[in-house]
C-alpha cells in the first residue's frame, strides 16, 4: 500500500462518514453509525490496522492522520448528537404537554364498615374507663366455649343444630366456631393475674339466618375482676356506656333478671325506645329494647381458672356489635352487613378520615 492511496482512503472515508452523520435522522441512528465508524470493528479501526502494511517511515504520519480524522469525526458526531437531541426534546415538549388547569381525577375512597366503626366506638368508651382490648381465636375447643363457662352438657347451645362443629377434635371433643366471645374471659383469666379489666371484640358463629340473625356476627365481651366488685359497679359501668354510645344522657335503662350459666345473678339490660311505622327510635318513648346480657361472674367459673371466689369477684357482659350498629345508625336488615354491596357501604359506611379518632359516629 502506498502513502498516496492511504491518504486518499482517509479523505474518502471522511467524506463518506460526514455525509452519513449529517444524514442521521435521530440519535439512535447516530449511535449505530458511531459504532460502525469508531467501534472495535469500525471503519476507522480497520483503516488503522492497514498502517502496519505501510513502509515503516510512513507509519508515523499515517498514524497521526488517522488520529486527526478520528478527532474530527468525534467532534462532528458530538455536534450532530446535540442537534438531534435538541430536536427530539423540542418534539417531545410539543407532543407531551400537561394541562395543569384540569380538575383532579377523583380517587375512589373506601368506607369504614359500620361493624368496624361501632367496634372502635365501643372500645374507645371502655378504654376511657380503663379497659384494655383482649382477643381470642374464632376456632375454640369445647372446654373454653362451654365447660369452663359452666354450660352443662345438655345445654341447647351444644346441640348440632345450634353450633358449627369442625371435624378436628381436641381431648376427644370436636373443635367448634365459638358461639360467643365469653371464652375470651376464660383465656384472659388463665393467662394473667387479677385484677382484670378487658373488653374482647370479635366474630362469633351460630346456625341462624333471618333479618336479625346471620351465621356469623360480632360481639364484644367485657370482664372486670377485682376484690370488692359488686353489682353496683356493673350497673354504673353499663349505664355510662349506653349513655356515651347513644350520645344521650337521659336515656332510660332497666335491668331485668335473666339467666346465663356463667353469671350469678344475671341480668339483661334494656334501653327505652319508641316503635312505630316501621321505625325504631332509641333513647325515648315508652317501649323497651334489650341490648345486652350481663351478670356477676359465677363462682364456678372463677374456681375453674384457679381464682378464689372468696377473694376475687367481678362482672361480665356481652353484646352484639352488629345489633348496636343497627340501632344507632338505623340499618334495618342484618343480612345486608355481609353482602359486600358497595352501594350499601357508600350509604351506611363511614369516612376513613374520621376514623378512629372520634368514636362518635353521629356527629360525622
Ligand atoms: N355470652 C352471652 C351471649 O352470647 C352474653 C353474656 C356475656 C352474658 C357475659 C353475660 C355475661 O349471649
Amino acid at each position: 500500500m502506498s502513502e498516496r492511496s492511504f491518504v486518499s482512503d482517509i479523505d474518502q472515508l471522511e467524506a463518506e462518514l460526514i455525509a452519513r452523520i449529517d444524514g442521521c435522522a435521530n440519535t439512535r441512528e447516530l449511535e449505530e453509525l458511531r459504532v460502525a465508524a469508531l467501534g472495535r470493528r469500525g471503519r476507522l479501526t480497520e483503516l488503522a490496522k492497514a498502517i502496519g502494511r505501510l513502509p515503516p517511515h510512513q507509519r508515523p504520519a499515517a498514524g497521526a492522520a488517522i488520529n486527526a480524522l478520528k478527532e474530527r469525526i468525534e467532534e462532528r458526531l458530538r455536534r450532530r448528537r446535540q442537534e438531534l437531541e435538541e430536536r427530539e426534546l423540542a418534539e417531545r415538549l410539543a407532543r407531551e404537554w400537561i394541562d395543569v388547569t384540569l380538575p383532579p381525577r377523583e380517587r375512589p375512597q373506601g368506607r369504614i364498615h359500620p361493624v368496624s366503626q361501632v367496634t372502635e366506638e365501643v372500645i374507645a368508651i371502655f378504654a376511657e374507663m380503663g379497659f384494655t382490648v383482649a382477643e381470642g381465636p374464632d376456632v375454640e375447643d369445647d372446654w373454653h366455649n362451654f365447660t369452663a363457662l359452666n354450660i352443662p352438657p345438655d345445654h341447647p347451645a351444644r346441640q348440632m343444630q345450634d353450633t358449627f362443629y369442625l371435624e378436628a377434635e381436641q381431648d376427644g371433643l370436636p373443635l367448634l366456631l365459638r358461639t360467643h366471645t365469653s371464652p375470651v374471659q376464660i383465656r384472659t383469666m388463665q393467662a394473667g393475674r387479677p385484677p382484670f379489666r378487658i373488653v374482647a371484640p370479635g366474630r362469633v358463629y351460630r346456625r341462624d339466618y333471618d333479618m336479625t340473625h346471620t351465621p356469623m356476627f360480632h360481639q364484644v365481651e367485657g370482664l372486670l375482676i377485682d376484690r370488692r366488685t359488686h353489682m353496683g359497679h356493673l350497673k354504673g359501668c353499663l349505664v355510662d356506656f349506653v349513655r356515651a354510645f347513644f350520645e344521650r344522657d337521659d336515656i332510660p335503662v332497666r335491668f331485668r333478671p335473666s339467666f346465663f350459666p356463667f353469671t350469678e345473678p344475671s341480668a339483661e339490660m334494656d334501653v327505652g325506645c319508641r316503635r312505630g311505622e316501621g321505625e325504631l327510635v332509641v333513647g325515648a318513648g315508652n317501649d323497651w329494647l334489650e341490648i345486652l346480657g350481663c351478670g356477676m361472674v359465677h363462682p364456678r367459673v372463677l374456681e375453674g381458672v384457679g381464682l378464689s371466689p372468696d377473694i376475687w369477684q367481678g362482672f361480665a357482659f356481652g353484646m352484639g356489635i352488629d345489633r348496636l350498629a343497627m340501632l344507632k345508625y338505623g340499618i334495618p336488615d342484618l343480612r345486608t352487613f355481609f353482602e359486600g354491596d358497595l352501594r350499601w357501604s357508600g350509604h351506611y359506611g363511614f369516612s376513613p378520615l374520621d376514623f378512629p379518632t372520634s368514636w362518635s359516629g353521629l356527629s360525622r
Side-chain angles (χ1 to χ4, degrees):
M1 188 191 246
S2 75
E3 192 180 0
R4 279 273 292 287
S5 81
F6 189 80
V7 170
S8 85
D9 279 356
I10 284 188
D11 289 347
Q12 223 182 343
L13 183 57
E14 179 162 18
E16 185 200 329
L17 288 177
I18 284 173
R20 284 176 60 190
I21 289 170
D22 290 347
C24 278
N26 53 49
T27 48
R28 190 180 45 78
E29 276 180 39
L30 193 69
E31 176 59 17
E32 281 168 18
L33 179 60
R34 189 189 63 78
V35 173
L38 303 176
R40 259 191 328 127
R41 304 238 177 123
R43 301 280 298 279
L44 252 86
T45 320
E46 294 297 321
L47 196 60
K49 284 182 194 152
I51 295 177
R53 295 199 291 277
L54 291 173
H57 70 276
Q58 292 174 5
R59 290 180 196 165
I66 288 271
N67 281 339
L69 171 61
K70 193 169 162 220
E71 270 167 32
R72 287 198 299 280
I73 294 296
E74 277 170 350
E75 171 63 19
R76 191 81 180 204
L77 281 167
R78 224 191 54 241
R79 281 208 330 254
R80 184 69 182 149
R81 170 172 307 274
Q82 209 173 348
E83 263 170 44
L84 289 173
E85 275 173 0
E86 275 166 23
R87 202 163 76 194
E88 284 168 13
L89 180 64
E91 277 168 14
R92 272 187 57 193
L93 288 176
R95 201 171 53 235
E96 302 173 6
W97 57 279
I98 298 170
D99 183 350
V100 292
T101 66
L102 281 176
R105 216 173 295 164
E106 242 184 79
R107 290 228 222 142
Q109 193 193 47
R111 306 287 288 175
I112 302 294
H113 195 285
V115 169
S116 307
Q117 171 76 23
V118 167
T119 304
E120 287 300 325
E121 292 178 20
V122 171
I123 290 172
I125 296 167
F126 283 109
E128 279 193 37
M129 302 187 211
F131 288 76
T132 57
V133 173
E135 280 182 310
D138 288 19
V139 174
E140 265 299 2
D141 54 65
D142 186 275
W143 189 80
H144 284 96
N145 196 80
F146 295 129
T147 310
L149 288 159
N150 194 34
I151 298 178
D154 56 353
H155 193 280
R158 294 199 177 207
Q159 304 296 301
M160 287 301 277
Q161 65 272 14
D162 286 317
T163 297
F164 293 101
Y165 288 96
L166 280 71
E167 276 174 16
E169 295 190 347
Q170 186 168 310
D171 306 324
L173 291 169
L175 291 173
L176 50 97
L177 296 178
R178 64 178 179 188
T179 57
H180 51 177
T181 41
S182 299
V184 185
Q185 290 183 30
I186 304 299
R187 289 183 177 276
T188 302
M189 290 192 283
Q190 280 189 310
R193 295 204 300 153
F196 298 106
R197 202 181 278 215
I198 57 113
V199 281
R203 282 184 288 266
V204 300
Y205 305 83
R206 289 179 202 176
R207 292 199 176 198
D208 256 334
Y209 191 67
D210 60 36
M211 255 185 81
T212 51
H213 298 87
T214 48
M216 186 278 302
F217 60 106
H218 301 79
Q219 281 189 338
V220 59
E221 189 80 10
L223 174 73
L224 188 149
I225 301 287
D226 212 325
R227 287 174 195 269
R228 268 181 280 276
T229 317
H230 55 69
M231 194 102 185
H233 296 125
L234 160 69
K235 288 179 76 175
C237 172
L238 293 176
V239 169
D240 279 355
F241 165 73
V242 289
R243 287 189 179 148
F245 181 76
F246 288 106
E247 297 171 41
R248 293 192 59 147
D249 283 340
D250 57 350
I251 190 164
V253 296
R254 75 173 181 192
F255 287 82
R256 268 183 299 107
S258 184
F259 174 78
F260 299 102
F262 36 92
T263 46
E264 181 59 35
S266 302
E268 265 161 314
M269 185 184 185
D270 296 342
V271 291
C273 72
R274 182 167 34 112
R275 285 175 230 257
E277 311 283 297
E279 93 173 332
L280 176 68
V281 182
V282 177
N286 40 23
D287 220 341
W288 295 102
L289 183 75
E290 178 205 324
I291 62 156
L292 58 84
C294 57
M296 302 305 292
V297 177
H298 198 291
R300 254 188 246 160
V301 173
L302 295 170
E303 277 161 4
V305 294
L307 294 180
S308 164
D310 295 332
I311 303 173
W312 301 104
Q313 24 191 318
F315 62 83
F317 55 87
M319 55 191 137
I321 294 175
D322 323 74
R323 193 172 149 75
L324 289 177
M326 290 170 81
L327 294 173
K328 182 166 177 179
Y329 297 113
I331 312 172
D333 190 333
L334 178 61
R335 291 168 298 196
T336 58
F337 276 56
F338 310 115
E339 282 166 1
D341 186 332
L342 285 178
R343 292 166 304 178
W344 186 90
S345 320
H347 182 73
Y348 288 113
F350 294 81
S351 165
L353 297 177
D354 298 338
F355 185 83
T357 42
S358 75
W359 50 263
S360 166
L362 284 180
S363 49
R364 77 186 136 149

